[in-house]
Amino acid sequence: MKTAGSMRVVPVHPELIRLGFIRYHEQRVRDGGAALFPGAKRNARGQMMADVSREFGRYLTRIGIKNGRGLSLYSFRHGATDALRRAGHLDQQFGFILGHAEPSMTGKYGIMPQGMLEQRVELVNAIAYPGLSLDHLVV
């Protein structure tokens, strides 16, 4: 979590569950770790994922997926945005789930967060990548 204000509830996509994400989390808890990503440490600017993001880019280069600029850890966010658009959702319908605050007068009122859990589940479940098979990753 970057800040208390950046905290949000995002359901886990069924494909991540199938791939073992919940089991990974359970193992982290059993091992005494609360953080999902134990390598993430705050840097001098207070950012949690900056070093992880930089190393992820280097990893993509080492394994031959990245050549120069373009792909990064944040490519996942861009891909999810495109998947939600392909599913017919408008940006203002899902921006909140990506952590993008809409600067509107309405956004300044109330104490409830946007999107009830059912809406969040619907949005996350709409993220799909036709033709992508991750069966080789199932543990």
Side-chain angles (χ1 to χ4, degrees):
M1 172 173 59
K2 289 185 194 175
T3 65
S6 69
M7 191 171 82
R8 59 192 173 275
V9 174
V10 179
V12 178
H13 193 281
E15 186 69 359
L16 288 175
I17 294 170
R18 186 178 81 89
L19 294 173
F21 187 76
I22 301 298
R23 289 190 303 275
Y24 167 77
H25 176 257
E26 290 169 345
Q27 187 61 51
R28 290 279 311 130
V29 171
R30 278 195 297 275
D31 291 345
L36 283 175
F37 307 104
K41 306 282 187 235
R42 287 203 188 278
N43 64 14
R45 294 175 54 198
Q47 301 165 318
M48 282 295 290
M49 297 301 284
D51 293 338
V52 173
S53 179
R54 193 172 14 268
E55 183 52 39
F56 186 74
R58 291 178 185 143
Y59 170 73
L60 292 177
T61 300
R62 280 195 307 273
I63 64 173
I65 292 177
K66 179 179 176 177
N67 184 8
R69 300 183 63 89
L71 291 177
S72 71
L73 185 63
Y74 296 98
S75 296
F76 292 109
R77 183 181 284 193
H78 293 280
T81 298
D82 287 341
L84 286 162
R85 289 173 180 162
R86 268 194 313 274
H89 296 285
L90 302 174
D91 292 4
Q92 59 266 34
Q93 292 173 300
F94 65 81
F96 74 93
I97 210 162
L98 298 174
H100 300 154
E102 196 169 327
S104 70
M105 187 56 76
T106 306
K108 297 176 183 177
Y109 292 109
I111 57 171
M112 266 182 85
Q114 287 192 68
M116 301 307 291
L117 183 58
E118 294 80 13
Q119 293 168 305
R120 292 166 187 258
V121 168
E122 177 186 335
L123 287 168
V124 168
N125 289 352
I127 298 171
Y129 304 95
L132 175 65
S133 174
L134 300 175
D135 291 343
H136 63 287
L137 299 176
V138 177
V139 287

